[in-house]
Amino acid sequence: MVDADAVIGIVADRAGELQSLLADLVSIPSENIPPGGQEGRAQAHVAGYLKAAGLEVATYEPTTVPGLREHPLFWPHRDYRGRPNVTAVLRGAGGGRSLLFTGHIDTVPRGTIEWPHNPFTPRIQNGRMYGLGTGDMKAGVAIAMFVARVLKEAGVRLRGDLIVESVVDEEFGGVNGTLAGRLHGPKADGAILVEPTGLQVYPGARGCTPTRIYGPQAIAGSSAGRGGSAYRMEVSGEPLNPPIAQLQHLLARVGEFNALRQRSAPRHPLWAAYPNPVPPVLVTKAVAGFWGWTEPVTIPMDFRLELYWELLPGESEEKAKGELMTWLHEAVAAAPHLFSAPPRVEFPIRYMPATAIASGEPIVQAMAAAAEATTGAR
């Protein structure tokens, strides 16, 4: 029988293999660009690696799973053609509890910003690997794959099954990949999400409901609300730049929404020691008009404002969104000279509730003990 120290030694001897596996995953683009995504090639690599390791491997597109479309948590605005989930099982000897390692293979898009190097050419600098998706979360997926392979090849026979799952469409709140995984199975007695945490154990996760606010056509009957030449508006005596004024007004009052969240959000012991036990409301985008040499110099027609705010366990969707709408209504009502109609509000992804389990749960205690043995911190 192979003991734990022997397994640790095997892992240390094969660390270069893990690094190569991560580099391979990073080098394969798997950007999530709703409603579609590019995870197919990366998932094929995951499946091939796990099959070569001798695990039982299943690949399936989420929407082929019976009951997914009918499930109340299904998010309908996604296309999963060519975007399979991968599930692999290392069978146990029997009599033990099963454990699931689950992670997502998709990354955010590379964006329009110019990268200092190719985001799909992994680079190692000062002991760190850089590339799109390295931390979030191909490293975690690679570790789960590598652990399963080492256990199999070392002849370790666990009592319970070890399940490794790589899902698609986590970014942008798709979540259908994970939902399909739970419906497809196999079911597990416990699960570890391999997101990066610096080896800290997180028995809870804050939720979120990103919000987009779109400005109305400024002031009814005003050419400023339709956009156009700044000179024409100046000589006509019409109000200048109402969309910018609207955006400035709302930006100046975001602090009031943040204060409301600080007062109303329930405190939770998992975040009690944080500098911000209630996470602040963040402005992630504020846009009016178009930019660049291809665009004329004109007054914008409207504005777009994006807020990112997180939720704590115990908050309902109705309560959270109600607070947002109350704040927005009061902000608009305070400037009737700017708003002829209320802005339009859109929630681009599903409502993501916060979740938590008790710190005394056996799986949390086992993970905390493992982290303490590894890092010396609990």
Side-chain angles (χ1 to χ4, degrees):
M1 182 176 180
V2 182
D3 63 19
D5 289 338
V7 173
I8 292 172
I10 294 170
V11 169
D13 291 340
R14 297 174 62 175
E17 179 185 326
L18 175 58
Q19 180 176 301
S20 296
L21 172 58
L22 175 57
D24 288 342
L25 291 178
V26 173
S27 68
I28 305 173
S30 55
E31 295 167 283
N32 188 337
I33 306 175
Q38 302 172 359
E39 302 100 325
R41 282 206 305 127
Q43 290 290 66
H45 190 82
V46 170
Y49 180 95
L50 293 169
K51 285 178 182 177
L55 277 68
E56 302 171 18
V57 178
T59 61
Y60 58 93
E61 292 178 1
T63 44
T64 66
V65 176
L68 180 72
R69 294 184 184 276
E70 295 76 27
H71 196 283
L73 295 180
F74 176 70
W75 186 251
H77 311 297
R78 296 290 194 269
D79 182 354
Y80 293 105
R81 288 173 292 183
R83 306 171 67 190
N85 277 358
V86 178
T87 301
V89 182
L90 178 63
R91 293 293 175 189
R97 288 173 291 189
S98 57
L99 179 65
L100 168 68
F101 288 152
T102 181
H104 65 88
I105 201 67
D106 60 312
T107 71
V108 295
R110 75 193 77 183
T112 55
I113 190 172
E114 183 177 350
W115 284 66
H117 59 85
N118 187 333
F120 305 114
T121 301
R123 296 169 65 250
I124 297 177
Q125 184 176 345
N126 298 325
R128 295 176 179 270
M129 183 179 293
Y130 294 87
L132 182 57
T134 304
D136 186 12
M137 59 180 301
K138 289 185 176 181
V141 172
I143 290 169
M145 296 164 61
F146 179 70
V147 165
R149 185 162 192 160
V150 167
L151 292 175
K152 177 69 174 179
E153 294 179 357
V156 176
R157 194 77 188 275
L158 304 172
R159 286 191 297 166
D161 293 344
L162 177 65
I163 307 158
V164 177
E165 175 184 77
S166 176
V167 304
V168 300
D169 194 26
E170 187 270 355
E171 303 291 353
F172 304 113
V175 185
N176 290 331
T178 297
L179 180 59
R182 304 289 65 75
L183 295 175
H184 178 275
K187 294 183 178 179
D189 295 308
I192 297 173
L193 176 63
V194 291
E195 287 275 9
T197 66
L199 295 183
Q200 298 294 310
V201 179
Y202 281 71
R206 296 188 298 217
C208 67
T209 181
T211 305
R212 293 175 180 170
I213 301 172
Y214 298 88
Q217 286 289 320
I219 298 176
S222 168
S223 59
R226 299 189 296 274
S229 164
Y231 170 76
R232 177 173 55 82
M233 294 177 186
E234 184 177 359
V235 299
S236 69
E238 295 179 355
L240 294 180
N241 231 337
I244 296 296
Q246 292 172 331
L247 180 57
Q248 288 175 322
H249 176 75
L250 292 182
L251 286 172
R253 299 184 73 114
V254 168
E256 296 174 6
F257 182 38
N258 183 62
L260 173 61
R261 294 286 303 146
Q262 297 298 316
R263 293 192 304 270
S264 66
R267 272 25 180 201
H268 193 280
L270 285 177
W271 291 275
Y274 277 45
N276 296 302
V278 177
V281 178
L282 303 175
V283 175
T284 52
K285 295 183 182 70
V287 180
F290 300 95
W291 191 270
W293 290 114
T294 60
E295 305 299 329
V297 178
T298 60
I299 298 299
M301 292 187 293
D302 55 18
F303 71 84
R304 289 163 288 166
L305 174 63
E306 184 177 82
L307 303 179
Y308 181 83
W309 46 296
E310 294 184 328
L311 308 158
L312 292 166
E315 292 194 86
S316 69
E317 180 174 5
E318 181 181 14
K319 169 186 172 294
K321 290 184 177 179
E323 289 178 352
L324 169 80
M325 298 308 296
T326 296
W327 163 76
L328 184 59
H329 174 78
E330 292 177 353
V332 170
H337 60 293
L338 293 178
F339 295 91
S340 62
R344 178 169 61 89
V345 176
E346 177 184 279
F347 300 99
I349 68 172
R350 69 166 79 242
Y351 177 82
M352 305 286 288
T355 59
I357 61 175
S359 298
E361 289 286 341
I363 190 172
V364 178
Q365 292 298 303
M367 288 293 296
E372 184 176 19
T374 303
T375 66
R378 188 173 178 87

